[in-house]
Amino acid sequence: MNGSCSSCHNGTTATGKPANHFATTLQCDECHTINNWTSVDFNHSSPSYPGDHSSSVTCLHCHQGNTQTVTWIFGAYKPDCAGCHADDFEPNNHKKYENPDTFYSVSELRDCSGACHLYEDSSMTTIKKSQRGEHQPRDSSF
Ligand code: HEC
Ligand code: HEC
Ligand code: HEC
Ligand code: HEC
């Protein structure tokens, strides 16, 4: 019966979406199973999706309008992590090279998960400390 749920679940023949339901055009079984309506599991396919976060991050944290549209708080950095997390960036913790101390910008590290090596000096030829993949979406903090 995949894909045909809404032929019955339209609020007349059988239980339909409550009025305050997450606004979506997708079929019920993209998110629900026949067992109950309370558990919701959606597999994102959009290339803009950053990957699953910890379970404390719910749909509405990212879909603030209760619709399938996403709230990109820092649209200039979409679809990178910084598109939602630019204000979590602490420049002083992201040194780029020494002699003199110079720091990465949020724009340079906008994917949060890439390389952020510390170099010896401004020529950036010698890595003093190798760093990569420091942050993952499932981490409990940055
Ligand atoms: C032929 C009509 C029909 C189709 C198609 C159908 N259902 Fe139902 N479903 C019902 C009826 C009737 C009930 C029980 C009365 C009600 O909940 O309105 C029900 C109940 C449910 C319940 C509540 C279960 C419970 O025990 O609380 C869920 C969840 C559900 N259906 C999900 C789905 C999903 C998901 C699909 C699509 C894969 C689907 N249904 C397809 C008719 C249908
Ligand atoms: C894109 C995902 C998505 C689709 C598609 C979807 N829903 Fe939902 N649904 C949700 C979310 C999210 C909730 C809120 C769950 C919560 O409150 O914990 C929800 C909640 C519900 C609830 C209330 C559950 C409760 O008792 O709190 C019902 C009933 C429901 N959906 C019915 C439907 C029906 C009928 C369809 C298809 C016509 C449908 N949904 C399609 C995501 C979806
Ligand atoms: C960490 C943030 C985040 C969380 C949590 C999240 N989403 Fe999304 N969602 C996204 C992003 C990013 C997109 C893609 C938006 C774009 O393309 O601009 C998206 C897209 C969608 C779409 C559109 C279809 C698609 O695949 O692109 C639906 C439907 C959706 N999400 C439902 C949900 C539901 C239901 C939940 C909770 C079970 C949820 N999302 C949780 C970030 C999130
Ligand atoms: C569409 C928006 C969105 C995108 C893109 C996104 N996140 Fe998140 N993320 C959130 C939201 C919302 C939360 C929960 C609230 C918060 O802490 O800001 C969160 C929480 C987190 C947390 C837990 C933070 C804490 O202090 O509790 C980490 C770690 C995290 N995200 C990492 C990432 C990484 C790494 C990426 C890129 C691969 C990413 N996120 C992309 C929306 C997003």
Side-chain angles (χ1 to χ4, degrees):
M1 288 201 299
N2 277 10
S4 64
C5 321
S6 63
S7 61
C8 295
H9 288 284
N10 52 18
T12 306
T13 311
T15 307
K17 292 191 253 188
N20 61 350
H21 190 273
F22 187 88
T24 176
T25 52
L26 298 176
Q27 256 302 339
C28 318
D29 58 355
E30 294 276 355
C31 299
H32 298 287
T33 68
I34 58 170
N35 300 324
N36 66 70
W37 295 113
T38 44
S39 34
V40 175
D41 186 14
F42 177 69
N43 288 321
H44 288 80
S45 54
S46 166
S48 303
Y49 184 65
D52 291 341
H53 283 55
S54 76
S55 56
S56 64
V57 183
T58 66
C59 316
L60 295 187
H61 278 112
C62 295
H63 297 272
Q64 291 179 14
N66 198 32
T67 78
Q68 63 181 67
T69 305
V70 160
T71 313
W72 294 97
I73 303 166
F74 307 98
Y77 300 122
K78 170 188 173 182
D80 293 307
C81 312
C84 300
H85 290 294
D87 61 350
D88 293 320
F89 184 68
E90 294 173 7
N92 293 343
N93 290 337
H94 295 88
K95 199 188 283 184
K96 188 174 181 179
Y97 55 80
E98 299 184 329
N99 311 308
D101 284 356
T102 302
F103 298 85
Y104 286 102
S105 68
V106 65
S107 183
E108 287 174 293
L109 299 185
R110 55 198 286 163
D111 73 351
C112 301
S113 326
C116 52
H117 306 318
L118 170 62
Y119 295 88
E120 296 273 6
D121 57 39
S122 62
S123 69
M124 292 177 65
T125 44
T126 310
I127 296 173
K128 179 166 183 183
K129 188 176 175 211
S130 184
Q131 300 189 114
R132 178 182 292 282
E134 290 293 305
H135 305 297
Q136 299 303 325
R138 282 189 184 282
D139 295 346
S140 59
S141 68
F142 276 99

